[in-house]
Amino acid sequence: MKNWIWAVIIVLLGVILLLSASFYIVDQSQNALLMQFGKELRVEKSPGLYLKWPVFQHVIYIDKRLQSYSPQPETFLTEDKKPVLVDFFAEWQVTDPGVYVAHLHDQANAQAQIGEALRTALKNRVGSLSMQSLITASQQTVSAPVLTAVNQHLRSLGIDVLDLRIMQVGLPPQVLQATYKRMEAEQIQKADAYRAQGKSAADAIRANAEKEKTTILADAYRQQQEIEGQGDAQAASIYGNAYGKDPQFYAFYRSLKAYRHALSHKTVLVLNPDSPFFKYFRHSLNEAGK
């Protein structure tokens, strides 16, 4: 009796396991490739519950969502042999699960094939454009020919690159440093040229200022001499008029001025007492003696 019960339990477990192995579920984000003895039977692309023969058949699930390929920036040469650093990423999708599994087996191999195809196509495209054309080109101008060339190869492997975006086009670090140094040298050269021009202009301004200064001083000196000459002439005229009106007073006034200048600052004069210079002194002494 007990052996019969165990036999029934074992049979039921076997049936349950057989039934569970006979069904498979396809998620909405997956494609299911049904294989039998290494050969493709069919592809289930719609989500749901499906039936298969256990043991003889197995299912390979393949992600049908968009997947990203985002490598490190790559360096390419332009048509004018100038290196540029291109930063890009791509979106790809499995379009034929059977071919994809047969040729690539997994996502790692797919990424490698996509990277190789993109690098080759980008190298050819960048090499057909000059540096100026590449910088000013639109996204579509650069990416459209690359996508066409890439998909001609990758569609035979069951995948399709749907979008390619060029994030940035720049110079490689070593070229960028050399460019910065060259720009710095050019700016230093320009600064030196500006300084030299400024010094030359300053020297010219100083020379003109000195010239104007000399001219102004000469003109001022000439005007001074003219004014002094006019003053002296006017003074001489006044003195002449005064002398004509009272010659004795004029002679006395002139003698006083001579005394003032000659006898200032403790001046010592050794003269003959009968000198005309002492005329008015003698007159004053005679008056005092009276």
Side-chain angles (χ1 to χ4, degrees):
M1 184 66 181
K2 290 183 178 180
N3 291 334
W4 179 81
I5 294 175
W6 280 109
V8 171
I9 293 174
I10 291 172
V11 170
L12 288 175
L13 289 175
V15 171
I16 292 173
L17 291 174
L18 185 63
L19 288 175
S20 64
S22 300
F23 294 94
Y24 63 97
I25 299 173
V26 179
D27 187 79
Q28 60 184 0
S29 64
Q30 296 173 325
N31 289 323
L33 179 63
L34 184 63
M35 305 290 291
Q36 180 174 315
F37 302 120
K39 294 183 179 180
E40 174 188 348
L41 292 182
R42 65 177 181 272
V43 177
E44 301 295 347
K45 297 184 177 182
S46 300
L49 181 65
Y50 295 91
L51 181 66
K52 68 179 180 68
W53 287 106
V55 181
F56 302 105
Q57 298 177 347
H58 69 280
V59 179
I60 299 175
Y61 293 100
I62 303 162
D63 197 333
K64 66 180 180 181
R65 295 172 295 183
L66 284 177
Q67 301 182 63
S68 296
Y69 176 76
S70 181
Q72 294 295 320
E74 297 278 349
T75 300
F76 303 102
L77 289 178
T78 61
E79 185 183 29
D80 44 2
K81 305 303 178 184
K82 294 181 179 179
V84 291
L85 193 67
V86 181
D87 188 8
F88 64 96
F89 78 93
E91 298 286 344
W92 63 279
Q93 188 178 39
V94 176
T95 54
D96 191 331
V99 174
Y100 172 80
V101 171
H103 289 85
L104 300 175
H105 307 295
D106 55 28
Q107 188 179 29
N109 289 329
Q111 293 275 28
Q113 288 291 332
I114 292 170
E116 183 64 27
L118 282 173
R119 280 191 292 273
T120 301
L122 275 171
K123 178 181 178 181
N124 295 334
R125 182 55 181 159
V126 172
S128 67
L129 298 172
S130 65
M131 171 74 82
Q132 183 65 29
S133 300
L134 180 62
I135 293 174
T136 58
S138 64
Q139 181 79 227
Q140 187 68 15
T141 302
V142 178
S143 61
V146 175
L147 280 175
T148 301
V150 166
N151 286 326
Q152 285 178 352
H153 169 65
L154 294 180
R155 281 171 184 164
S156 63
L157 302 177
I159 57 180
D160 195 356
V161 178
L162 303 179
D163 190 23
L164 172 65
R165 293 291 170 177
I166 308 298
M167 302 297 293
Q168 185 178 8
V169 176
L171 295 174
Q174 62 274 15
V175 177
L176 197 60
Q177 290 297 325
T179 302
Y180 286 153
K181 290 182 179 179
R182 185 177 69 251
M183 292 172 63
E184 182 180 5
E186 291 175 354
Q187 294 303 317
I188 291 174
Q189 185 178 3
K190 287 182 180 180
D192 292 339
Y194 289 148
R195 291 190 188 98
Q197 292 175 4
K199 185 177 182 303
S200 177
D203 292 341
I205 292 172
R206 291 190 187 98
N208 289 333
E210 288 294 331
K211 183 178 179 181
E212 291 181 4
K213 172 186 174 183
T214 303
T215 302
I216 292 171
L217 289 176
D219 186 60
Y221 181 74
R222 179 183 57 80
Q223 293 180 14
Q224 175 190 353
Q225 294 299 315
E226 289 178 355
I227 294 171
E228 287 180 353
Q230 293 173 1
D232 290 341
Q234 188 175 2
S237 175
I238 293 171
Y239 290 150
N241 292 333
Y243 179 76
K245 292 180 179 180
D246 193 346
Q248 293 182 355
F249 176 77
Y250 178 73
F252 175 71
Y253 176 75
R254 293 295 299 271
S255 296
L256 289 179
K257 287 184 66 177
Y259 295 156
R260 184 181 300 115
H261 289 290
L263 301 177
S264 61
H265 305 294
K266 298 180 181 181
T267 304
V268 178
L269 296 176
V270 180
L271 297 172
N272 189 338
D274 294 330
S275 172
F277 186 76
F278 294 112
K279 174 183 177 181
Y280 292 100
F281 276 102
R282 290 196 304 270
H283 180 72
S284 298
L285 291 173
N286 291 335
E287 290 293 330
K290 291 182 179 180

